[in-house]
Amino acid sequence: MPTNIHETSIISPKAELGEDVVVGPYTIIGDKVRIGNNTHIEAYCEIGIAQGTQDGGLLTIGAHSTIRSGTVLYQGSTFGEGFTTGHKVTVREGVTAGDGLQLGTLSDIQGRCQFGEYVKLHSNVHVGQASILGDYIWIFPYVVLTNDPHPPSETRLGCHLEDFCVVATMSTVLPGVRLGRGALIGAMTLVREDVPDDNICVGVPGRLVGETKKIKFKKTGEPVYPWRRHFHRGYPDEIVKSWIAEFE
């Protein structure tokens, strides 16, 4: 049975809460919500918001998740285990996500998009509808993934980010652009065209300046990329072992 439910929270009797779920003050949990075991939901969250009068479907939050204060999650999305939000995150309906999704404070996910395994967004990231993000992606603060090639219109042409790519702070990716596996987008870049695998794109407008393997640590001279050769914090042991084996 759920434990540690604050007396000021409002939880629908139709909601399904797993074992050892914590719900903080003044949080509202709607009808069509399923929350996994050992999940911690902080104060002033709205979990399972309907889209107007429409039925958005079940909202599923995997076990061992942490939903920080002020987060709003609409109906009709599915999040894997270890889902984590910062404060005041908004996620609209129709999102599917694997394990380990991290959404930083004030990030805005506009719904109907896909996230792979262990995608990490820092604060103030905007993800437009129809975006597709692969596994082990890093997106840094104030990045915008757009989706309307002729604004304002009814067209939704999402960005497609392949596994392991990195998008640095304050960059904008235009509708329909594909970032290849292991691509690196430099800070404050306007990405207008596809970026090949393991390539660097920088500037306004963005331009290709070579492969990521040419970037070296200043002190050691060792390659910085692929970053999974040396950065492992926050990833399961079995995944890290596979990365280490890849580069042996």
Side-chain angles (χ1 to χ4, degrees):
M1 294 294 294
T3 60
N4 201 3
I5 308 301
H6 196 275
E7 61 183 6
T8 61
S9 63
I10 301 174
I11 302 175
S12 168
K14 297 180 181 179
E16 301 177 34
L17 276 63
E19 300 287 341
D20 299 319
V21 172
V22 176
V23 180
Y26 303 105
T27 281
I28 300 171
I29 299 179
D31 295 345
K32 297 187 175 182
V33 176
R34 180 182 296 150
I35 299 173
N37 298 339
N38 299 297
T39 289
H40 187 169
I41 301 175
E42 294 184 356
Y44 296 101
C45 295
E46 297 181 68
I47 308 298
I49 302 302
Q51 183 188 11
T53 59
Q54 297 184 21
D55 180 0
L58 184 67
L59 169 65
T60 301
I61 299 173
H64 308 287
S65 294
T66 301
I67 311 301
R68 292 193 171 87
S69 62
T71 292
V72 177
L73 305 177
Y74 279 65
Q75 291 178 354
S77 291
T78 300
F79 301 96
E81 293 192 5
F83 173 45
T84 302
T85 76
H87 304 284
K88 298 183 179 179
V89 168
T90 301
V91 184
R92 292 297 302 262
E93 65 283 346
V95 171
T96 60
D99 292 345
L101 174 62
Q102 173 184 302
L103 303 177
T105 292
L106 292 172
S107 287
D108 173 33
I109 313 303
Q110 280 293 297
R112 295 184 171 84
C113 52
Q114 301 173 31
F115 296 86
E117 302 287 315
Y118 293 91
V119 177
K120 298 179 184 292
L121 278 60
H122 282 244
S123 61
N124 292 277
V125 173
H126 173 92
V127 178
Q129 290 184 9
S131 299
I132 299 175
L133 289 77
D135 300 332
Y136 315 117
I137 288 169
W138 285 84
I139 300 182
F140 288 87
Y142 298 100
V143 167
V144 178
L145 304 183
T146 64
N147 65 0
D148 189 347
H150 312 291
S153 77
E154 299 298 334
T155 302
R156 295 293 178 267
L157 187 60
C159 304
H160 189 168
L161 281 61
E162 301 284 355
D163 300 351
F164 301 109
C165 70
V166 176
V167 186
T169 185
M170 299 183 70
S171 293
T172 299
V173 185
L174 294 188
V177 168
R178 174 190 173 275
L179 306 184
R181 188 176 192 269
L184 171 64
I185 310 303
M188 297 183 287
T189 294
L190 175 62
V191 189
R192 302 192 302 177
E193 298 180 349
D194 292 354
V195 178
D197 295 355
D198 298 308
N199 264 250
I200 308 163
C201 181
V202 296
V204 180
R207 65 190 187 282
L208 299 178
V209 295
E211 295 184 340
T212 57
K213 65 182 181 182
K214 75 178 187 179
I215 303 175
K216 310 290 185 181
F217 283 110
K218 292 182 179 179
K219 290 186 177 180
T220 66
E222 294 295 318
V224 176
Y225 299 96
W227 58 262
R228 60 191 181 277
R229 296 177 63 161
H230 60 86
F231 187 89
H232 303 145
R233 175 166 48 86
Y235 296 101
D237 290 343
E238 62 272 19
I239 292 173
V240 171
K241 288 178 182 177
S242 70
W243 293 348
I244 293 172
E246 180 182 356
F247 296 106
E248 285 181 344

